[in-house]
Amino acid sequence: MSASPDTAGQSVALVIQRRIADDGFAAFARWNGEVGEVLKAWPGFLSQEVVPPQPPAHLDWVTVLRFASPAAARAWLQSEVRTRLIGEVQRYFVGSEDVHILPDSGVQRDSAVSAVISFNVPDGLEDAFLKWQQRIQAAEAEFKGFLRHKIERPIAGLHDEWIVILTFDNDANLNAWLDSPLRQTLLKEGERFNAGMNVKRASYGFNFWFPAGKTQAPEQGAGFVWKSNLIVLLVLYPVVYLWGTFISKPLIDSHGVPVWLSLFVGNLVSTQLLGWWLVPAAFRALDWWVTPKAAISRQIAGYALLAALYAASMGLYALLLTWHWGR
């Protein structure tokens, strides 16, 4: 556990977490692209990353903007340009946004999950707050899946709260700690710090807040790529034949739409379904098999499961073809 002071010349990560109404997802995604184009010309801007929600556990959009200095991030936050851009999509906002700016070491996201917890610490109680956090961190370390507990001090002109970034390896283990009786007991001990406590969840490991070399990216060798391709095939094949059977042939091709246009529309829809929902869901479901360090028994079980699912998918398509030609 550590607390980091503000460093004027250090690059920072501006993390903005906001909930968007369901009917605004597409507009908000396009809007983030427009913001990225504007930021390319902004002094001190380094990069942008947008993480869509992953319901039911994570309902907020997380935007990470990296700047060369706190001053550059502050200038963007307070700019009329940002205010004007926000006005374009404000009708889709649900509740208020959470904004945090923290030192950025340039390390990319990992597969962990985090809770970002903010506290309003009364003046003169900073040392007591840190000692209380030390007791909490010691308790967290005893829980399965605990990865890190980091404290960020207030940054003048940006936020007055103390921020704790708590990271576990997955949702289940993070929930086990957050809902534990031990944590509730510790929170009661620190009631004087909890009046303005705010807890936000994110499907994000927040590795960029930690020094390079402290964490490792997933191994993505030939085995990982091979398995990834098999998973994509698993969801791509049924999407293609279901689209062709129930959508393309009766609703598009039968109305004289050219093959080249029908094919483009089918691929457009398929890639969006795969990229936003189906492939991420499949990877989460098969995470126990994808990891390169999975035991041999899990490797065999994973391949057997995929073979069975492939066979079921092809069998279903064969039945659909028989039904179609038998009509």
Side-chain angles (χ1 to χ4, degrees):
M1 182 177 68
S2 61
S4 301
D6 183 21
T7 305
Q10 180 180 348
S11 61
V12 295
L14 176 62
V15 182
I16 304 171
Q17 192 163 348
R18 173 178 286 288
R19 190 158 302 178
I20 300 297
D22 291 348
D23 61 348
F25 273 31
F28 189 69
R30 289 193 299 269
W31 178 81
N32 273 293
E34 296 172 5
V35 171
E37 290 300 315
V38 172
L39 280 168
K40 287 180 180 179
W42 193 264
F45 173 71
L46 299 177
S47 67
Q48 176 195 43
E49 185 173 1
V50 179
V51 184
Q54 296 182 13
H58 309 289
L59 303 177
D60 296 336
W61 288 72
V62 178
T63 303
V64 182
L65 304 177
R66 293 181 172 87
F67 291 88
S69 68
R74 186 181 298 112
W76 169 251
L77 274 177
Q78 299 171 349
S79 69
E80 293 183 1
V81 176
R82 181 174 185 266
T83 301
R84 174 179 56 79
L85 287 168
I86 286 178
E88 297 176 3
V89 291
Q90 197 161 14
R91 62 186 180 277
Y92 300 119
F93 291 176
V94 178
S96 59
E97 68 178 5
D98 281 348
V99 179
H100 304 296
I101 182 167
L102 296 161
D104 173 29
S105 61
V107 182
Q108 299 300 313
R109 65 175 293 189
D110 61 11
S111 59
V113 293
S114 296
V116 181
I117 310 171
S118 57
F119 298 88
N120 292 315
V121 179
D123 292 340
L125 294 180
E126 291 85 355
D127 289 342
F129 173 76
L130 290 173
K131 290 179 180 178
W132 176 58
Q133 285 295 313
Q134 287 175 352
R135 294 197 299 275
I136 291 178
Q137 192 273 336
E140 291 165 348
E142 298 298 322
F143 275 66
K144 180 182 178 182
F146 171 76
L147 295 179
R148 60 187 73 91
H149 176 122
K150 184 176 176 64
I151 292 179
E152 293 293 344
R153 295 176 180 270
I155 298 178
L158 289 173
H159 61 80
D160 299 324
E161 302 89 358
W162 288 67
I163 299 170
V164 172
I165 306 106
L166 172 63
T167 307
F168 277 74
D169 60 351
N170 59 48
D171 279 312
N173 289 332
L174 176 59
N175 288 335
W177 163 251
L178 292 178
D179 298 335
S180 68
L182 176 56
R183 179 173 180 268
Q184 303 309 313
T185 299
L186 288 166
L187 288 178
K188 288 182 180 179
E189 292 179 8
E191 283 182 339
R192 53 184 169 171
F193 307 119
N194 295 340
M197 185 179 70
N198 182 34
V199 180
K200 280 285 187 177
R201 301 282 300 273
S203 56
Y204 210 94
F206 293 111
N207 264 356
F208 51 83
W209 287 335
F210 299 91
K214 295 294 184 181
T215 56
Q216 295 181 347
E219 298 176 20
Q220 298 189 10
F224 178 85
V225 175
W226 165 252
K227 290 179 179 178
S228 299
N229 291 339
L230 291 179
I231 292 175
V232 172
L233 174 61
L234 177 67
V235 292
L236 174 63
Y237 181 72
V239 167
V240 170
Y241 73 67
L242 289 173
W243 172 268
T245 302
F246 295 106
I247 305 295
S248 184
K249 288 181 181 178
L251 301 180
I252 300 178
D253 300 346
S254 63
H255 289 78
V257 176
V259 174
W260 57 266
L261 180 56
S262 174
L263 181 63
F264 176 81
V265 172
N267 280 278
L268 175 63
V269 174
S270 299
T271 53
Q272 295 305 307
L273 288 173
L274 265 62
W276 283 99
W277 296 288
L278 300 180
V279 170
F283 268 89
R284 287 194 296 271
L286 293 168
D287 179 67
W288 54 272
W289 172 68
V290 174
T291 174
K293 296 182 179 180
I296 187 64
S297 58
R298 288 195 174 190
Q299 300 277 6
I300 295 172
Y303 281 112
L305 175 60
L306 254 67
L309 292 174
Y310 285 148
S313 184
M314 289 185 286
L316 176 60
Y317 190 27
L319 289 175
L320 286 174
L321 288 175
T322 302
W323 167 77
H324 176 76
W325 291 111
R327 293 171 61 185

